[in-house]
């Protein structure tokens, strides 16, 4: 549902702000992917604003995103940053992503925070060793501890998903965020050691909305690289 321009004469489309270009290894992992996916699942049109490093650090952008990161999101009076917060905002009006029934809604919310707080810090720290820190002298000593903690979290999540298709009943905003975390280790073989997680990841990424969101993000960076 990505749209470069709003020509309908109606209220402006929500605006997703992200980077104009990234290194090849980051394509598909930039966190606007999570927001794009949620918007596609919600069937909600949006427009994209692309920024360069200079604008990232500008005072104007820091009023929208205090840490100068991406994504940022504007929807009428709403101005949000942090991908999980944006996904929850989108999901709030889409019962398929965030149920209105209080107990189910609370479970989905718990898993949203689990993806960001319990899983991503450990998975991200482990992956960073191979992408950013590999030349550092301390990596060989630190790697076993980081891998052990990453595997511990993956094993615990694998256990939860052995008898479930999704984290909290039906597919939800929590699965969007958790899939984004698992994608960090989907190409390095680590995920293959956990069959329930591998099946879960395949199930989530087979959704048409995921494919559309990924294609749209890749198109941005392909254009920048051309």
């Amino acid at each position: 549902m990505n749209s470069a321009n709003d020509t309908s004469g109606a209220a402006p489309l929500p605006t997703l702000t992200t980077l104009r270009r990234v290194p090849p290894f980051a394509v598909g992992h930039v966190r606007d992917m999570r927001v794009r996916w949620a918007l596609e699942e919600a069937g909600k049109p949006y427009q994209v604003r692309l920024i360069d490093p200079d604008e990232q650090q500008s005072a104007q952008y820091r009023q929208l995103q205090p840490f100068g990161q991406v994504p940022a999101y504007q929807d009428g009076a709403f101005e949000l940053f942090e991908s999980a917060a944006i996904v929850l905002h989108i999901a709030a009006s889409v019962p398929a992503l965030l149920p209105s029934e209080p107990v189910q809604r609370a479970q989905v919310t718990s898993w949203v925070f689990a993806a960001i707080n319990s899983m991503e810090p450990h998975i991200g720290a482990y992956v960073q060793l191979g992408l950013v820190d590999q030349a550092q002298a301390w990596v060989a000593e630190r790697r076993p501890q980081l891998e052990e903690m990453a595997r511990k979290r993956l094993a615990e999540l694998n256990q939860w998903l052995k008898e479930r298709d999704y984290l909290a009943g039906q597919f939800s905003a929590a699965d969007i965020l958790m899939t984004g975390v698992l994608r960090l280790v989907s190409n390095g073989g680590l995920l293959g050691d956990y069959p329930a997680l591998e099946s879960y990841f395949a199930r989530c990424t087979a959704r048409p909305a995921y494919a559309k969101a990924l294609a749209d993000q890749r198109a941005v960076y392909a254009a920048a690289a051309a």
Side-chain angles (χ1 to χ4, degrees), residues 114-197:
I116 301 306
N117 290 338
S118 296
M119 294 295 297
E120 189 164 38
H122 301 293
I123 303 301
Y126 172 72
V127 170
Q128 185 174 339
L129 289 179
L131 293 178
V132 180
D133 299 325
Q134 55 185 329
Q136 301 298 318
W138 50 265
V139 166
E141 180 179 353
R142 186 74 175 117
R143 184 185 296 277
Q145 292 92 340
L146 293 180
E147 181 173 346
E148 179 183 8
M149 193 61 209
R151 285 188 174 276
K152 179 177 185 294
R153 286 289 188 253
L154 290 170
E156 291 165 340
L157 186 60
N158 187 75
Q159 182 63 35
W160 177 262
L161 286 166
K162 278 185 176 179
E163 305 297 331
R164 297 173 173 88
D165 287 339
Y166 299 108
L167 294 171
Q170 66 182 23
F171 179 85
S172 71
D175 298 297
I176 291 175
L177 293 162
M178 190 66 80
T179 301
V181 174
L182 295 179
R183 197 168 190 275
L184 295 171
V185 291
S186 62
N187 295 325
L190 200 59
L191 199 62
D193 293 339
Y194 305 92
L197 282 189

Side-chain angles (χ1 to χ4, degrees), residues 4 14 21 54-55 65 78 91 99 104 106-107 121 144 146 193 208 218 223-224:
R21 53 179 55 83
D54 287 347
E55 189 170 1
Q65 218 300 354
F78 292 94
Q104 294 175 348
Q107 189 175 25
L146 293 180
D193 293 339
R218 284 176 169 164

Side-chain angles (χ1 to χ4, degrees), residues 6-221:
D6 178 18
T7 59
S8 65
L13 294 175
T15 300
L16 173 63
T17 301
T18 189
L19 298 173
R20 188 179 306 279
R21 53 179 55 83
V22 297
F25 71 79
V27 176
H29 297 289
V30 186
R31 292 178 185 177
D32 68 277
M33 171 62 194
R34 304 169 182 184
V35 180
R36 290 175 183 271
W37 186 3
L39 288 163
E40 293 296 337
E41 293 282 357
K44 188 169 185 176
Y46 65 101
Q47 58 189 345
V48 177
R49 174 190 173 207
L50 302 176
I51 61 173
D52 294 311
D54 287 347
E55 189 170 1
Q56 259 188 289
Q57 304 307 320
S58 69
Q60 182 180 9
Y61 186 63
R62 293 291 180 127
Q63 290 299 310
L64 179 59
Q65 218 300 354
F67 305 102
Q69 300 170 322
V70 296
Y73 185 76
Q74 295 163 286
D75 184 5
F78 292 94
E79 295 185 345
L80 296 99
F81 59 96
E82 296 293 341
S83 60
I86 300 169
V87 169
L88 275 176
H89 169 76
I90 295 164
S93 60
V94 185
L97 294 179
L98 189 62
S100 56
E101 195 281 318
V103 173
Q104 294 175 348
R105 192 181 186 95
Q107 189 175 25
V108 170
T109 303
S110 292
W111 277 108
V112 164
F113 281 90
I116 301 306
N117 290 338
S118 296
M119 294 295 297
E120 189 164 38
H122 301 293
I123 303 301
Y126 172 72
V127 170
Q128 185 174 339
L129 289 179
L131 293 178
V132 180
D133 299 325
Q134 55 185 329
Q136 301 298 318
W138 50 265
V139 166
E141 180 179 353
R142 186 74 175 117
R143 184 185 296 277
Q145 292 92 340
L146 293 180
E147 181 173 346
E148 179 183 8
M149 193 61 209
R151 285 188 174 276
K152 179 177 185 294
R153 286 289 188 253
L154 290 170
E156 291 165 340
L157 186 60
N158 187 75
Q159 182 63 35
W160 177 262
L161 286 166
K162 278 185 176 179
E163 305 297 331
R164 297 173 173 88
D165 287 339
Y166 299 108
L167 294 171
Q170 66 182 23
F171 179 85
S172 71
D175 298 297
I176 291 175
L177 293 162
M178 190 66 80
T179 301
V181 174
L182 295 179
R183 197 168 190 275
L184 295 171
V185 291
S186 62
N187 295 325
L190 200 59
L191 199 62
D193 293 339
Y194 305 92
L197 282 189
E198 194 171 40
S199 296
Y200 166 76
F201 183 80
R203 192 158 44 248
C204 291
T205 56
R207 297 178 69 85
Y210 173 90
K212 177 65 164 59
L214 183 58
D216 285 346
Q217 189 188 79
R218 284 176 169 164
V220 168
Y221 300 126

